[in-house]
Amino acid sequence: MSAAPTEETLEVHVERFAVQGYTVVRDVFAPEEVAGMLAASERVVGKVRADPSAFDAPTVPRYTNRVEGAVDTWGVDNMFAPNLYEPELGAVFGHRKFMEFSHAVLGPNLRFWAAHLLWSPEFMPYELNWHKDNHEHEHFEPNGKPRHVQFNVCLTDDKSFRAIPGSHRRPLTEVEREAVYARSTGPLPGEVQVECGPGDVIYMNYHMLHRGSCAPDQFRRTLHMNVQSMDEPTGGQTSYSYMRHPGYLDGIDPALAALMRNSIEWDDSHPIDRAEARRRMRVSHDLRRSTAGPVGEHHGYGA
């Protein structure tokens, strides 16, 4: 078993994150912590699988198949909405070992951005196409400076994540660009498959070219989340209406509530214009319509 991160190893992970676009920190969560989160995730999975059609924005299920009588899902967005909230999952942002990496990269003052739960499908494998999240396929930063930290908290053995290290720091190659716009799931030069165990965390830059895949026989439960700095001028407007409902923030984990309050504060001070609002509505509509079956039709975020 690898050692818990220290200040020295944390520096190594921060450097690796900047250079290659992701790093894996092993054994962030102890087995007993994983067991509690895994039990909570099963309750969420059970609710969504029982009747995916009962869920709509912002708790949008992710599908591999939507044919009547053969509906299959591989995740759900906004797992902290009131109808899905589980205290064991909400407590993740109060975990010191887990948060120290994000603080090392982005500083002490963070805001909530996203939190989804991903799982293995029941009968139809999924293959996500190559993409950069938020439809910013041409974005790159030569120095590797991130706008955010995105992470997968692995509650089971997990080999779903595939990435092109360093692709967040340069333009796409012609081969990569063709793969993105053709929504390809095929192999690419330099591709790596990242393997994790329960309690490991993949910290990633979502401007790195990546994709995901999972078969029904690969039991998977993963928390897929994202935070940003309060000083970051882009990427906001994720303070969903449920966060503003009276009493909601008082009833969830205090660390999560603080991040959401920051998100609300940031969004209120950074209103968007109508053109951007329409663009985001189109993206949201595409996500609700998309599936991620074997032909790789998915348009959205995650791995």
Side-chain angles (χ1 to χ4, degrees), residues 26 33 83 90 96 164 176 247 276 295:
R26 306 289 180 182
E33 294 171 326
N83 56 340
R96 183 189 61 80
I164 308 296
E176 292 167 348
E276 177 62 11
V295 294

Side-chain angles (χ1 to χ4, degrees), residues 97-149:
K97 289 182 182 179
F98 171 66
M99 290 302 295
E100 66 180 357
F101 179 86
S102 296
H103 287 303
V105 172
L106 299 177
N109 198 14
L110 305 181
R111 69 181 194 259
F112 176 86
W113 199 85
H116 314 312
L117 179 62
L118 311 181
W119 57 77
S120 44
E122 291 186 280
F123 62 86
M124 179 177 288
Y126 73 79
E127 294 283 350
L128 306 189
N129 50 275
W130 289 105
H131 63 283
K132 293 186 176 187
D133 288 344
N134 211 28
H135 292 239
E136 293 185 306
H137 301 317
E138 302 297 340
H139 177 84
F140 64 94
E141 293 286 350
N143 61 5
K145 181 177 174 58
R147 294 179 178 178
H148 58 272
V149 173

Side-chain angles (χ1 to χ4, degrees), residues 12 18 32 66 82 104 109 114 120 130 139 197-199 223 248 263 269 277 285:
V12 170
E32 60 273 18
R66 301 182 75 168
N109 198 14
S120 44
W130 289 105
H139 177 84
L223 313 183
Y248 170 77
S263 179
S269 61
H285 181 67

Side-chain angles (χ1 to χ4, degrees), residues 14 23 32 138 154 174 190 193 205 218 225 242 249 292:
V14 169
T23 190
E32 60 273 18
E138 302 297 340
C154 302
E174 286 305 312
Q193 183 177 17
N205 185 320
Q218 299 168 353
M225 301 181 290
Y242 66 82
L249 293 176

Side-chain angles (χ1 to χ4, degrees), residues 157-176:
D157 289 331
D158 195 319
K159 56 181 181 180
S160 292
F161 185 65
R162 300 169 185 267
I164 308 296
S167 53
H168 64 304
R169 301 174 59 199
R170 57 166 174 77
L172 295 173
T173 67
E174 286 305 312
V175 171
E176 292 167 348

Side-chain angles (χ1 to χ4, degrees), residues 15-298:
E15 176 67 16
R16 187 177 299 134
F17 180 81
V19 171
Q20 71 178 21
Y22 78 93
T23 190
V24 179
V25 183
R26 306 289 180 182
D27 303 316
V28 174
F29 294 92
E32 60 273 18
E33 294 171 326
V34 173
M37 290 190 289
L38 188 57
S41 74
E42 289 306 284
R43 292 191 287 271
V44 176
V45 174
K47 288 179 182 178
V48 176
R49 281 181 171 170
D51 186 8
S53 65
F55 294 87
D56 199 352
T59 53
V60 181
R62 301 184 177 201
Y63 294 92
T64 61
N65 194 30
R66 301 182 75 168
V67 176
E68 186 174 352
V71 175
D72 197 13
T73 60
W74 64 278
V76 69
D77 291 354
N78 281 290
M79 65 181 180
F80 295 144
N83 56 340
L84 291 177
Y85 183 79
E86 292 285 343
E88 293 87 351
L89 303 182
V92 68
F93 287 107
H95 193 281
R96 183 189 61 80
K97 289 182 182 179
F98 171 66
M99 290 302 295
E100 66 180 357
F101 179 86
S102 296
H103 287 303
V105 172
L106 299 177
N109 198 14
L110 305 181
R111 69 181 194 259
F112 176 86
W113 199 85
H116 314 312
L117 179 62
L118 311 181
W119 57 77
S120 44
E122 291 186 280
F123 62 86
M124 179 177 288
Y126 73 79
E127 294 283 350
L128 306 189
N129 50 275
W130 289 105
H131 63 283
K132 293 186 176 187
D133 288 344
N134 211 28
H135 292 239
E136 293 185 306
H137 301 317
E138 302 297 340
H139 177 84
F140 64 94
E141 293 286 350
N143 61 5
K145 181 177 174 58
R147 294 179 178 178
H148 58 272
V149 173
Q150 185 161 282
F151 27 82
N152 282 358
V153 178
C154 302
L155 305 181
T156 59
D157 289 331
D158 195 319
K159 56 181 181 180
S160 292
F161 185 65
R162 300 169 185 267
I164 308 296
S167 53
H168 64 304
R169 301 174 59 199
R170 57 166 174 77
L172 295 173
T173 67
E174 286 305 312
V175 171
E176 292 167 348
R177 186 171 290 107
E178 289 176 5
V180 167
Y181 289 100
R183 297 173 185 163
S184 170
T185 64
L188 284 178
E191 170 185 347
V192 298
Q193 183 177 17
V194 182
E195 297 194 20
C196 296
D200 295 348
V201 179
I202 308 172
Y203 296 93
M204 71 191 81
N205 185 320
Y206 76 22
H207 291 120
M208 175 182 57
L209 194 61
H210 65 280
R211 74 179 197 88
S213 63
C214 190
D217 61 353
Q218 299 168 353
F219 182 73
R220 186 195 193 202
R221 300 291 186 265
T222 295
L223 313 183
H224 179 68
M225 301 181 290
N226 191 314
V227 293
Q228 291 187 289
S229 168
M230 283 292 281
D231 295 329
E232 169 56 46
T234 68
Q237 303 306 321
T238 60
S239 57
Y240 295 96
S241 60
Y242 66 82
M243 299 178 189
R244 302 169 185 260
H245 291 171
Y248 170 77
L249 293 176
D250 294 328
I252 64 174
D253 183 84
L256 174 59
L259 291 172
M260 288 184 173
R261 287 191 176 95
N262 282 351
S263 179
I264 292 170
E265 177 186 334
W266 192 98
D267 286 359
D268 287 351
S269 61
H270 296 77
I272 58 176
D273 59 28
R274 290 184 178 181
E276 177 62 11
R278 286 195 296 270
R279 186 192 73 84
R280 296 186 184 202
M281 287 181 66
R282 286 196 301 271
V283 170
S284 178
H285 181 67
D286 286 346
L287 288 173
R288 291 191 197 115
R289 291 178 59 250
S290 66
T291 60
V295 294
E297 296 175 347
H298 184 64

